[in-house]
């Protein structure tokens, strides 16, 4: 149970990083393991379980933080060659931002640019990057540089041809970076030193020089563990030893010598007070090449001879860092042999070959091991009680450049980095691109946008609520057809907007939620249809589509309701919300003849209909069309192919509705009196204004107006 207790401790030390993040190159537990389940067991390039791939040239390990993937790589050709940090949408692979920077003050060749991995801070969301030229950057999540240091020019950082560049490490309020340097005063002698910077300001907190003269440049990344109540920073050093330092001050606590000839590049793994390390050179105390060792970190001073728990000699693992899961240590040696070693006893349990050159570090997750091999291989191994079986191998290849002859054979794409496991997916970078693997439905969360439909006024604001199930929570907001702006779920309608409708969209991965928005301005309204596209309708009207359309008639546009090709000829179009009251509605209208058939034409207010009936040649007011509960009518003879104007008003007075209507030829003056007035003792208090039509023959409408009434009955019907 000790290992899983340590996992719980590391969760605290990692600022409560969740399994959905991979902020450190060895994961949230610093040991190359993940608690994720349901991960893929196989994939094919460009096919099954490859969720996305994006062009990118990388050789280190990406990190994943808050549904963004960050990777360091190289870009350009000849005079445009640069190093870069890029940020991708974890769901889609879309490039969100990138920062390119020049390479200088180094002899590192271009194919080794982008050596170090970025590191993310789970507290602030900031990303820290160490380039091969010694530029040390702090970016925020949007790609803004918050602070930077030129480690070479400020502190005499040393860079060798080999390309070895250290990955930063975040702990608490500090970001720690190590490198060989020769500076001034006490730091004039060349040593492998550790620099702790304030992660927010970039100020130096402490500098530690725990070791002696370096034997080589290295790239071992520190880890943090708590031993005897003291939090220690533990790392391999360029002098061939492992050192533990007090994380608060950088003061050396103990030393464990391991390599006789070379510095240590392998990052250690900590499980409480037990430290696991390896190297691939001649041992300090015999001539055997390579060793995996377990150290009891509860000592002080030089603990080389006193605190070794066990050793496994002959395992030349000088590049790849171990993964530790459930009392088993997984180590890849320089020849790409995967060892499984008992973390308790050091006994070799099994060995599995995965290629020829092993430099990428293995990751254990979901009972499987994900591991890369330099010559373009990405392996997935299923781990069993007595061994591991390779269940998937994909070979990646690349041309020297995009300008290469198409007939020229491709070569293996180099892979030096390790996988990152986050949110049910596997991410890794190669010389050929950056990949995301996962279950094919992992990018399809179920989304719900609330409210799903809403009516707003110009200038009004509304915060939409998005609920999601499944993986991913990076939301892309957009709108269609709206005179409005949407950002982080807040919709702001243009104050000058007229009546219209559209949609807003929230996209997560390949899933999209849509909400419908009608924008209805306050009264008065006027619509002459001149700005409406021919054969279309005002977009915010209800129940008009497919039944009404705008037609160009000479220099004028009109609204037309033709006889229905299928279905019913009777339609009501609603223009506003059902809560409206106290308005007057008016429209110009014209009926035509279809053989012996005539249309009925009318208006709607407060859920009452004013209907100019064709066959009956009368003007009717009604609410319940089938029962005619309060209906009444007058005879009204009207002519086809003649424009009339109709006006309707409903007044609520003394607990009854007074429904008034009038119709007159458009070429004549409006009469003073209402043609019809009907009283309803059970009034409809509110209701949307609307247009009515029974198109047994074609109906034409124009010059719609809706305005506030004074709610006073001035004159009754004749």
């Amino acid at each position: 149970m000790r290992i899983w207790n340590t996992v719980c401790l590391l969760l605290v030390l990692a600022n409560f990083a969740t399994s959905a993040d991979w902020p450190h190159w060895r994961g949230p537990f610093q040991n190359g393991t993940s608690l994720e389940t349901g991960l893929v067991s196989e994939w094919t390039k460009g096919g099954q379980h490859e969720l996305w791939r994006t062009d990118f040239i990388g050789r280190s390990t990406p990190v994943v933080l808050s549904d963004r993937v960050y990777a360091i790589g190289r870009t350009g050709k000849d005079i445009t060659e640069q190093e870069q940090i890029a940020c991708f949408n974890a769901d889609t692979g879309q490039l969100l931002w990138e920062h390119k920077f020049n390479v200088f003050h180094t002899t590192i060749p271009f194919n080794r640019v982008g050596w170090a991995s970025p590191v993310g801070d789970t507290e602030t969301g900031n990303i820290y990057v160490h380039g091969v030229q010694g530029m040390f950057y702090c970016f925020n999540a949007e790609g803004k540089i918050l602070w930077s240091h030129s480690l070479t020019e400020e502190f005499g950082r040393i860079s060798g041809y080999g390309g070895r560049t250290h990955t930063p490490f975040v702990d608490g309020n500090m970001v720690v970076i190590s490198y060989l340097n020769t500076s001034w005063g006490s730091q004039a002698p060349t040593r492998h030193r550790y620099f702790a910077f304030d992660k927010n300001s970039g100020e130096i907190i402490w500098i530690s020089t725990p070791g002696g003269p370096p034997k080589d440049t290295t790239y071992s990344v520190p880890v943090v563990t708590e031993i005897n109540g003291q939090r220690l920073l533990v790392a391999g050093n360029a002098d061939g030893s492992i050192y533990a330092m007090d994380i608060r001050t950088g003061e050396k606590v103990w030393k464990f010598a391991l390599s006789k000839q070379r510095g240590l590049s392998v990052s250690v793994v900590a499980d409480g007070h037990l430290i696991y390390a390896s190297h691939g050179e001649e041992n300090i105390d015999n001539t055997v090449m390579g060793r995996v060792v377990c150290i009891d970190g509860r000592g002080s001073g030089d603990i080389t001879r006193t605190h070794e728990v066990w050793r496994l000699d002959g395992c030349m693992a000088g590049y790849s860092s171990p993964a530790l899961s459930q009392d088993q240590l997984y180590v890849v040696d320089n020849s790409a042999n995967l060892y499984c070693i008992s973390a308790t006893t050091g006994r070799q349990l099994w060995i599995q070959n995965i290629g020829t050159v092993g430099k990428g570090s293995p990751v254990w997750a979901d009972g499987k091991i994900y591991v890369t091999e330099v010559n373009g291989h990405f392996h997935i191994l299923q781990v069993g009680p007595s061994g591991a079986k390779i269940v998937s191998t994909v070979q990646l290849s690349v041309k020297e450049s995009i300008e290469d002859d198409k007939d020229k054979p491709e070569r293996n794409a180099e892979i030096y980095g390790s996988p990152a496991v986050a949110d049910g997916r596997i991410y890794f970078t190669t010389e050929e691109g950056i990949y995301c693997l996962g279950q094919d439905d992992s990018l399809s969360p179920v989304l719900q946008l609330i409210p799903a439909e809403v009516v707003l006024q110009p200038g009004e604001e509304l915060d939409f609520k998005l609920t999601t199930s499944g993986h991913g929570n990076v939301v892309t907001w957009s709108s269609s057809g709206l005179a409005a702006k949407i950002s982080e779920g807040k919709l702001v309608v243009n104050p000058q907007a007229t009546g219209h409708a559209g949609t807003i969209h929230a996209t997560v991965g390949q899933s999209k939620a849509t909400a419908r928005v009608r924008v209805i301005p306050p009264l008065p309204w006027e619509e002459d249809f001149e700005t409406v596209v021919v054969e279309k309708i005002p977009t915010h009207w209800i129940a008009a589509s497919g039944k009404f359309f705008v037609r160009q008639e000479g220099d004028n546009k009109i609204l037309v309701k033709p006889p229905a090709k299928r279905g019913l000829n009777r339609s009501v179009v609603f223009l506003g919300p059902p809560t409206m009251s106290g308005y007057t509605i008016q429209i110009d209208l014209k009926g035509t003849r279809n053989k012996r058939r005539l249309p009925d034409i009318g208006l709607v207010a407060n859920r009452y209909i004013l209907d100019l009936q064709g066959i009956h040649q009368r003007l009717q007011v009604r609410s319940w069309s089938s029962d005619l509960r309060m209906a009444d009518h007058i005879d009204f003879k009207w002519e086809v192919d003649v424009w009339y104007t109709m006006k309707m008003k409903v007044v609520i007075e003394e607990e009854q509705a007074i429904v008034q209507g009038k119709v007159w030829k458009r070429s004549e003056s409006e009469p003073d009196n209402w043609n019809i007035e009907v009283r309803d003792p059970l009034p409809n208090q509110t209701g949307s204004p609307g247009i009515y039509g029974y198109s047994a023959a074609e109906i034409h409408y124009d010059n719609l107006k809706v305005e506030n009434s004074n709610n006073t009955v001035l004159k009754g019907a004749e």
Side-chain angles (χ1 to χ4, degrees):
M1 293 299 293
R2 183 186 68 248
I3 291 175
W4 293 108
N5 288 337
T6 300
V7 166
C8 294
L9 170 63
L10 288 173
L11 275 171
V12 176
L13 299 181
N15 292 321
F16 301 98
T18 67
S19 60
D21 285 332
W22 190 271
H24 180 273
W25 85 286
R26 294 305 281 150
F29 311 130
Q30 311 169 42
N31 63 359
T33 67
S34 169
L35 301 181
E36 293 274 350
T37 59
L39 303 177
V40 298
S41 298
E42 60 181 346
W43 69 289
T44 56
K45 179 172 169 52
Q48 183 185 27
H49 299 321
E50 181 184 306
L51 299 182
W52 56 260
R53 175 206 166 275
T54 299
D55 287 341
F56 187 78
I57 304 175
R59 61 175 294 135
S60 60
T61 301
V63 296
V64 185
L65 191 64
S66 299
D67 291 294
R68 295 186 173 198
V69 181
Y70 301 89
I72 299 177
R74 62 185 189 266
T75 183
K77 184 178 181 182
D78 298 330
I79 198 170
T80 64
E81 291 177 347
Q82 290 180 297
E83 193 166 16
Q84 70 168 336
I85 170 72
C87 173
F88 303 92
N89 183 304
D91 295 334
T92 65
Q94 176 189 2
L95 178 65
L96 301 179
W97 59 264
E98 62 182 347
H99 180 80
K100 300 178 181 180
F101 41 101
N102 287 341
V103 178
F104 45 81
H105 296 321
T106 183
T107 57
I108 294 174
F110 184 57
N111 69 333
R112 298 188 179 190
V113 166
W115 185 288
S117 301
V119 67
D121 178 27
T122 57
E123 180 185 13
T124 63
N126 293 339
I127 301 297
Y128 301 88
V129 173
H130 182 199
V132 296
Q133 69 292 92
M135 290 304 301
F136 187 30
Y137 291 104
C138 172
F139 294 91
N140 69 9
E142 303 305 319
K144 178 183 178 181
I145 298 175
L146 302 181
W147 55 261
S148 67
H149 283 286
S150 177
L151 303 179
T152 302
E153 295 168 297
E154 294 179 57
F155 308 110
R157 171 187 172 274
I158 295 173
S159 170
Y161 177 84
R164 303 181 187 99
T165 308
H166 289 259
T167 293
F169 180 86
V170 174
D171 184 76
N173 69 326
M174 293 181 292
V175 56
V176 180
I177 185 73
S178 75
Y179 47 88
L180 272 63
N181 82 311
T182 174
S183 183
W184 61 275
S186 62
Q187 292 187 25
T190 300
R191 294 290 187 272
H192 182 175
R193 295 183 172 91
Y194 300 81
F195 289 70
F197 295 87
D198 184 294
K199 70 180 183 182
N200 296 309
S201 67
E203 293 179 333
I204 294 178
I205 297 177
W206 53 255
I207 302 172
S208 178
T209 311
K215 299 174 181 178
D216 200 357
T217 55
T218 63
Y219 53 93
S220 175
V221 183
V223 300
V224 168
T225 188
E226 185 170 316
I227 301 176
N228 292 335
Q230 185 178 25
R231 298 187 65 238
L232 300 180
L233 184 78
V234 185
N237 194 271
D239 70 355
S241 298
I242 298 167
Y243 291 93
M245 293 154 275
D246 188 327
I247 188 65
R248 299 170 301 172
T249 63
E251 181 182 358
K252 180 174 68 175
V253 175
W254 54 254
K255 164 190 175 180
F256 187 94
L258 187 59
S259 176
K260 184 176 182 179
Q261 296 177 326
R262 300 286 294 272
L264 300 178
S265 287
V266 175
S267 298
V268 302
V269 170
D271 179 20
H273 68 278
L274 296 179
I275 310 298
Y276 300 90
S278 69
H279 78 113
E281 303 297 329
E282 186 176 344
N283 291 312
I284 196 75
D285 54 5
N286 62 37
T287 58
V288 177
M289 299 291 286
R291 174 177 293 170
V292 181
V293 64
C294 175
I295 306 164
D296 183 343
R298 292 177 291 189
S300 61
D302 190 339
I303 63 172
T304 307
R305 298 182 181 276
T306 58
H307 284 69
E308 180 181 301
V309 178
W310 56 255
R311 67 171 63 177
L312 178 64
D313 281 354
C315 179
M316 298 173 60
Y319 304 108
S320 172
S321 296
L324 177 63
S325 175
Q326 301 179 17
D327 201 36
Q328 293 183 341
L329 193 69
Y330 299 97
V331 178
V332 175
D333 72 7
N334 301 350
S335 299
N337 296 302
L338 174 63
Y339 287 77
C340 178
I341 303 167
S342 169
T344 303
T345 66
R347 182 171 65 92
Q348 178 182 313
L349 302 178
W350 50 261
I351 185 171
Q352 172 71 53
N353 180 259
I354 57 170
T356 56
V357 182
K359 292 194 175 181
S361 300
V363 169
W364 184 98
D366 194 26
K368 296 179 278 287
I369 291 177
Y370 300 87
V371 62
T372 63
E373 190 263 346
V374 169
N375 293 305
H377 295 103
F378 186 93
H379 298 289
I380 304 176
L381 294 86
Q382 188 70 50
V383 180
S386 59
K389 177 183 178 182
I390 297 177
V391 294
S392 173
T393 297
V394 174
Q395 169 77 63
L396 300 176
S397 58
V398 66
K399 289 185 179 294
E400 289 296 337
S401 71
I402 59 175
E403 291 85 6
D404 284 346
D405 188 341
K406 292 182 179 180
D407 296 329
K408 184 177 180 179
E410 296 182 335
R411 60 171 176 80
N412 295 336
E414 294 182 341
I415 311 177
Y416 289 94
S418 305
V421 181
D423 209 15
R425 308 178 195 130
I426 313 296
Y427 301 89
F428 63 98
T429 64
T430 76
E431 187 184 16
E432 185 264 348
I434 181 169
Y435 285 83
C436 172
L437 313 180
Q439 300 294 343
D440 293 337
D441 62 350
S442 65
L443 291 182
S444 300
V446 177
L447 306 181
Q448 186 177 38
L449 200 54
I450 301 173
E453 182 157 341
V454 68
V455 175
L456 299 175
Q457 291 190 358
E460 192 170 355
E461 300 179 2
L462 180 66
D463 288 310
F464 284 85
K465 177 183 178 183
L466 178 68
T467 61
T468 176
S469 64
H471 296 297
N473 56 18
V474 173
V475 183
T476 301
W477 295 91
S478 61
S479 65
S480 176
L482 285 174
K485 294 182 179 179
I486 180 77
S487 177
E488 297 183 354
K490 178 184 283 292
L491 182 72
V492 180
V493 181
N494 188 327
Q496 307 303 318
T498 57
H500 69 290
T503 54
I504 67 165
H505 311 284
T507 303
V508 177
Q510 296 177 350
S511 297
K512 179 186 288 188
T514 298
R516 293 153 47 91
V517 180
R518 296 170 70 206
V519 177
I520 300 179
L523 298 180
W525 305 337
E526 292 191 9
E527 179 60 78
D528 61 6
F529 307 106
E530 295 303 318
T531 61
V532 181
V533 177
V534 172
E535 297 187 355
K536 301 294 184 179
I537 56 170
T539 55
H540 61 294
W541 285 7
I542 299 295
S545 180
K547 303 170 185 177
F548 295 75
F549 65 89
V550 169
R551 174 189 293 165
Q552 185 75 46
E553 190 171 85
D555 295 332
N556 189 38
K557 288 182 180 179
I558 61 172
L559 182 69
V560 176
K561 185 181 190 313
K565 294 181 179 179
R566 297 177 61 183
L568 300 176
N569 284 319
R570 183 175 290 106
S571 300
V572 177
V573 176
F574 300 105
L575 312 179
T579 55
M580 293 180 65
S581 63
Y583 56 85
T584 299
I585 182 170
Q586 175 179 312
I587 199 169
D588 294 344
L589 40 78
K590 179 175 70 173
T592 64
R593 182 184 297 275
N594 180 12
K595 298 180 181 179
R596 299 180 61 183
R597 298 176 182 174
L598 295 176
D600 297 342
I601 322 170
L603 291 173
V604 178
N606 278 58
R607 299 163 183 163
Y608 299 99
I609 297 174
L610 178 63
D611 185 5
L612 185 64
Q613 297 177 333
I615 294 297
H616 297 293
Q617 291 288 289
R618 64 189 186 187
L619 185 63
Q620 183 187 68
V621 170
R622 65 179 183 272
S623 176
W624 187 351
S625 294
S626 60
D627 192 78
L628 302 178
R629 174 185 64 83
M630 47 71 64
D632 200 358
H633 67 269
I634 62 170
D635 293 333
F636 193 97
K637 186 175 181 179
W638 59 276
E639 304 171 32
V640 299
D641 298 322
V642 174
W643 280 103
Y644 289 83
T645 300
M646 175 182 283
K647 179 182 283 189
M648 182 182 186
K649 176 181 177 182
V650 177
V651 178
I652 306 300
E653 186 177 273
E654 297 179 354
E655 298 184 356
Q656 65 176 340
I658 304 172
V659 185
Q660 300 172 313
K662 64 172 72 172
V663 180
W664 67 95
K665 287 184 178 180
R666 189 172 68 175
S667 60
E668 300 175 355
S669 299
E670 178 183 352
D672 292 333
N673 296 334
W674 298 98
N675 296 121
I676 187 170
E677 180 178 289
V678 179
R679 295 176 181 262
D680 183 5
L682 303 175
N684 298 324
Q685 299 283 349
T686 64
S688 169
I691 301 171
Y692 170 78
Y694 172 72
S695 55
E698 190 170 270
I699 305 170
H700 299 168
Y701 305 85
D702 202 0
N703 300 318
L704 170 69
K705 297 179 182 179
V706 184
E707 57 189 11
N708 287 307
S709 302
N710 58 17
N711 284 341
T712 301
V713 181
L714 297 178
K715 296 182 180 180
E718 292 181 333

